Amino acid sequence: MNRREVARLLAAGTLAAATGCRARPTVNSSDDLIHLDAIAQADLIVAGEVQAQDLVRSAAQRIQTVNPKLNAIIYTDTDRALARARASNGLLGGIPYLNKGLSAYKGMPLTRGSRLFAQTIASDQSAYTDRLDAAGVVVMGQTNTPEFGLLPSTEPLLHGATRNPWNLNHTPGGSSGGAAAAVAARLVPAAHASDGGGSIRIPAAQCGLFGLKPSHGRFPDQGYGDQAWPISIQHAVTISVRDSALLLALTERADNSALLPVGFVQPERVQQLRIALSLNAAEVTPDNDVAQRVAQMANTLESLGHEIIPVEQTPLMDERFDDDFLTLWASGAHAIAQQVTRTTGMPASDSGLLEPFTLGLATWFAEQPANTLRDALDRLRSYQARVRTFLSAYDAWLTPVTASAAPPVGYLAPDVSYDILLPRVRRFAAYTPLHNVAGTPAMSIPAGFSQTGLPIGAQLAAAHGNEALLLALAYQIEATSPWAQQLPPVHG
């Protein structure tokens, strides 16, 4: 389905029916809006039941009331959002949205979660962000993120910790933790996110949301062209599968020579799939709660007619991958530390501009032999080929997203001793970086809750370029367990 067809359905007020959801609900008050995803809210605007400015004012009120408890949003500009809402167009015209603090949005702060950029205002934005604007979403502000997105928990020293709306004593994950907390609390129906090692999938899992990491190359103009290895990619965290599918269709490049366009994927019958199932990653074994929820997801997939094939030997079982990914991750921190030294004329560790964990990564990298990064990149390329070979034998691959449910705030904080924090990070986030290196699409889909009531996600990955299969599978799962109806204790 192309954009013109989507526009026709939206204009006719039938997009909800076309995407397999119930008929357009009646909204009696602004409180009813928290139960609606972005497409349902857009449908209301087209039907004349609400005005775009009403959606923005309602979101602004929820943000004002709830965000002090969460610290998910670090900057808002309601006046600018209202002005944009009055002139909104596009398929999602007038829908409240949030931009992640790692990504430039012209005229808004661009702190990247770091004291180094505490006073920076974005003077430009990427072509990807231009396409988001063209879709009509109304960016109301910036969400919190760990410094440079380096940690799977959102606790930057600059802005303070973001808290999980399911339990305020726990993290919402990272690095798109502010985005996930805001959407889970229904402050907005969807929010921009990015993923360089699990940063869409991890917070989606920790907050009970849907989070798809697209294939490498899906957005060649997303503004991330200066990486040693282009592993980061942008997209969103959403309440519903269809919102993610539509946002992908509206932001992908139709003229992309590397990948065929996905288009707007809708619910459809999915033929029987061969789905590999593995639980371990090298020496990492998931907590019992996670293992049980992933096994339950496997049972759900079997009940939908798919074949589940337990597999012990997978690319996740190679212990060297973790070290090679750490080398790549730390090389970025080292480059930043060198920049600080050049700019300030003093060692980065004395500048007070970088967090202890960032400095720890930079120091570790500086102590490695000169050819360490080159050798690591060579091996990472081989992992890319190995993952694609592994997936050639299956239609999809089911694993945990993280080794545990959301840890307490402070457990993965950047000022925890580096020697203690690094092993914690490596265990917690053992399952997601492989798909950034391989470039394969992967999604976190809600899989239930821990015994303490915290959300747990299951990860499903597919061959490079096969987002359509994952989205079709996600629609199937969503129909069996409508997670969007479950609200956390702290919500709008």
Side-chain angles (χ1 to χ4, degrees):
M1 178 174 287
N2 61 32
R3 295 187 190 195
R4 183 173 297 175
E5 290 170 319
V6 175
R8 176 179 55 78
L9 290 171
L10 187 58
T14 57
L15 187 56
T19 49
C21 292
R22 63 177 183 268
R24 187 175 69 246
T26 300
V27 175
N28 296 314
S29 72
S30 61
D31 291 342
D32 294 331
L33 293 173
I34 67 171
H35 300 288
L36 307 183
D37 66 0
I39 288 176
Q41 292 190 28
D43 201 20
L44 289 173
I45 294 174
V46 171
E49 295 188 24
V50 299
Q51 299 295 317
Q53 301 96 302
D54 296 331
L55 295 182
V56 170
R57 291 189 188 98
S58 179
Q61 180 59 50
R62 293 194 298 274
I63 290 169
Q64 183 180 9
T65 303
V66 177
N67 190 57
K69 301 174 185 177
L70 300 176
N71 193 34
I73 302 166
I74 57 173
Y75 172 84
T76 57
D77 189 340
T78 302
D79 290 339
R80 178 180 176 180
L82 283 169
R84 177 163 170 74
R86 283 190 289 270
S88 63
N89 49 41
L91 297 179
L92 292 175
I95 301 305
Y97 201 70
L98 292 163
N99 190 66
K100 182 177 175 180
L102 284 182
S103 180
Y105 194 86
K106 189 174 182 179
M108 287 191 177
L110 181 59
T111 69
R112 302 176 178 91
S114 176
R115 291 168 291 192
L116 177 61
F117 296 106
Q119 306 303 320
T120 301
I121 303 295
S123 59
D124 205 352
Q125 62 188 35
S126 70
Y128 170 87
T129 304
D130 289 341
R131 289 197 296 278
L132 268 178
D133 279 345
V137 296
V138 177
V139 174
M140 301 194 60
Q142 297 276 80
T143 56
N144 204 5
T145 183
E147 183 168 67
F148 307 119
L150 291 173
L151 282 167
S153 179
T154 302
E155 306 179 46
L157 299 184
L158 174 63
H159 298 299
T162 297
R163 296 178 179 273
N164 193 318
W166 290 94
N167 186 323
L168 295 178
N169 294 319
H170 290 255
T171 176
S175 64
S176 306
V183 175
R186 304 303 194 264
L187 306 187
V188 292
H192 168 254
S194 60
D195 193 316
S199 294
I200 289 175
R201 291 158 289 159
I202 290 172
Q206 308 296 282
C207 292
L209 300 173
F210 180 71
L212 170 70
K213 180 199 82 68
S215 296
H216 168 64
R218 182 62 66 192
F219 311 119
D221 54 0
Q222 63 177 341
Y224 289 163
D226 57 348
Q227 300 170 337
W229 179 279
I231 58 173
S232 294
I233 191 162
Q234 305 194 49
H235 190 39
V237 286
T238 61
I239 298 169
S240 66
V241 175
R242 66 178 186 166
D243 278 359
S244 184
L246 182 56
L247 283 163
L248 182 65
L250 294 176
T251 52
E252 67 176 340
R253 282 263 300 273
D255 61 344
N256 190 345
S257 60
L259 290 168
L260 292 175
V262 178
F264 182 29
V265 178
Q266 297 184 77
E268 60 184 29
R269 186 177 181 275
V270 181
Q271 66 181 9
Q272 184 186 64
L273 303 177
R274 284 171 47 85
I275 301 175
L277 166 65
S278 63
L279 291 178
N280 299 338
E283 296 181 350
V284 173
T285 299
D287 289 355
N288 287 336
D289 277 351
V290 172
Q292 290 172 6
R293 297 289 79 75
V294 174
Q296 185 177 28
M297 179 62 70
N299 291 337
T300 296
L301 291 165
E302 278 191 322
S303 73
L304 292 168
H306 304 297
E307 181 184 4
I308 302 297
I309 306 158
V311 182
E312 292 186 6
Q313 293 304 315
T314 75
L316 277 171
M317 295 305 291
D318 194 319
E319 297 178 15
R320 190 151 199 179
F321 172 82
D322 203 19
D323 292 332
D324 290 335
F325 189 81
L326 173 63
T327 299
L328 175 59
W329 212 237
S331 70
H334 181 252
I336 293 167
Q338 287 183 313
Q339 176 188 344
V340 170
T341 298
R342 289 192 299 268
T343 302
T344 64
M346 66 177 70
S349 57
D350 296 339
S351 69
L353 296 174
L354 299 180
E355 294 180 345
F357 182 69
T358 303
L359 292 169
L361 287 174
T363 299
W364 179 87
F365 184 83
E367 294 172 349
Q368 304 309 303
N371 61 346
T372 299
L373 179 59
R374 183 200 65 197
D375 292 346
L377 290 176
D378 287 342
R379 285 190 294 271
L380 289 174
R381 291 185 184 94
S382 73
Y383 283 108
Q384 185 180 67
R386 287 174 59 188
V387 171
R388 295 185 182 187
T389 298
F390 176 79
L391 282 169
S392 69
Y394 307 98
D395 298 299
W397 181 11
L398 172 63
T399 70
V401 177
T402 57
S404 70
V409 170
Y411 183 79
L412 297 175
D415 52 0
V416 172
S417 170
Y418 178 80
D419 291 338
I420 295 174
L421 181 55
L422 182 62
R424 290 178 177 180
V425 170
R426 291 171 75 151
R427 178 182 187 272
F428 177 70
Y431 297 91
T432 51
L434 186 67
H435 294 293
N436 295 87
V437 169
T440 40
M443 64 183 180
S444 174
I445 195 157
F449 294 85
S450 70
Q451 293 185 11
T452 58
L454 291 167
I456 291 172
Q459 178 172 243
L460 279 156
H464 185 246
N466 212 352
E467 288 94 327
L469 181 144
L470 289 181
L471 288 166
L473 196 55
Y475 277 123
Q476 273 199 319
I477 298 167
E478 184 181 36
T480 70
S481 55
W483 58 78
Q485 298 175 14
Q486 298 174 304
L487 294 177
V490 177
H491 62 266

